[in-house]
Amino acid sequence: QVHLVESGGGLVQPGGSLRLSCAASGSIFSISAMGWYRQAPGKQREVVAGIVSGGRTNYADSVKGRFTISRDNAKNTVSLQMNSLKPEDTAVYYCTKIPPGYWGQGTQVTVSS
């Protein structure tokens, strides 16, 4: 199986930006869709962005216009550029294939002043 490792999280002020990266241990070329999910304390895990192998993207309404997902099949990476961050974006962020496979450790994003 392909193992995925998330990185890039941290503490950021409201209105700030972060770029999350997901490194795959193997090829993601054959994976039709990859996505970023997040889970905040007391909340259900939700998908925030998805991207198919051809580059078409979809976003949750809550992040449209602020987040951008991208993938580089040659480098086996998936990224999430997050701009104009809000406190409600605070969560652990995970990358996985869609439908989800195994969940990794994720990376913590905290948006706070």
Short mmCIF file of all heavy atoms in Angstrom, two decimals, residues 10-11 27 31 39 45 58 83 95:
data_model
loop_
_atom_site.label_atom_id
_atom_site.label_comp_id
_atom_site.label_asym_id
_atom_site.label_seq_id
_atom_site.Cartn_x
_atom_site.Cartn_y
_atom_site.Cartn_z
N GLY A 10 1.11 23.98 11.71
CA GLY A 10 1.70 24.85 12.70
C GLY A 10 0.71 25.84 13.24
O GLY A 10 -0.50 25.72 13.01
N LEU A 11 1.23 26.81 13.96
CA LEU A 11 0.42 27.87 14.53
C LEU A 11 0.51 29.10 13.64
O LEU A 11 1.60 29.53 13.27
CB LEU A 11 0.92 28.21 15.94
CG LEU A 11 0.27 29.40 16.65
CD1 LEU A 11 -1.21 29.12 16.90
CD2 LEU A 11 1.01 29.69 17.94
N SER A 27 3.93 5.34 -5.86
CA SER A 27 3.27 6.09 -6.92
C SER A 27 1.80 6.34 -6.61
O SER A 27 1.08 5.46 -6.15
CB SER A 27 3.39 5.34 -8.24
OG SER A 27 2.67 5.99 -9.27
N ILE A 31 -3.96 6.33 -8.58
CA ILE A 31 -5.02 6.69 -7.64
C ILE A 31 -5.86 7.80 -8.27
O ILE A 31 -5.36 8.90 -8.50
CB ILE A 31 -4.45 7.14 -6.28
CG1 ILE A 31 -3.60 6.02 -5.68
CG2 ILE A 31 -5.59 7.53 -5.34
CD1 ILE A 31 -2.91 6.40 -4.39
N GLN A 39 -10.17 17.14 11.00
CA GLN A 39 -11.00 16.83 12.14
C GLN A 39 -10.65 17.77 13.28
O GLN A 39 -9.51 17.80 13.75
CB GLN A 39 -10.83 15.38 12.59
CG GLN A 39 -11.80 14.98 13.68
CD GLN A 39 -11.85 13.47 13.90
OE1 GLN A 39 -10.87 12.77 13.66
NE2 GLN A 39 -12.98 12.98 14.36
N ARG A 45 -14.91 14.10 11.20
CA ARG A 45 -13.92 14.29 10.17
C ARG A 45 -14.63 14.65 8.87
O ARG A 45 -15.64 14.04 8.51
CB ARG A 45 -13.07 13.03 10.00
CG ARG A 45 -11.94 13.17 9.00
CD ARG A 45 -10.74 12.33 9.39
NE ARG A 45 -11.11 10.98 9.79
CZ ARG A 45 -10.35 10.19 10.53
NH1 ARG A 45 -9.17 10.62 10.98
NH2 ARG A 45 -10.75 8.97 10.86
N ASN A 58 -12.28 19.81 -6.28
CA ASN A 58 -13.51 20.14 -5.58
C ASN A 58 -13.17 20.58 -4.18
O ASN A 58 -12.19 20.11 -3.59
CB ASN A 58 -14.47 18.95 -5.53
CG ASN A 58 -15.14 18.68 -6.86
OD1 ASN A 58 -15.95 19.48 -7.33
ND2 ASN A 58 -14.82 17.55 -7.48
N ASN A 83 -4.96 29.85 2.52
CA ASN A 83 -4.85 31.28 2.70
C ASN A 83 -6.03 31.81 3.50
O ASN A 83 -7.06 31.14 3.63
CB ASN A 83 -4.79 31.99 1.34
CG ASN A 83 -3.60 31.59 0.51
OD1 ASN A 83 -2.51 31.34 1.03
ND2 ASN A 83 -3.79 31.54 -0.80
N CYS A 95 -4.17 13.65 4.71
CA CYS A 95 -4.34 13.37 3.29
C CYS A 95 -4.53 11.88 3.11
O CYS A 95 -4.02 11.06 3.87
CB CYS A 95 -3.16 13.88 2.46
SG CYS A 95 -1.61 12.96 2.64
#
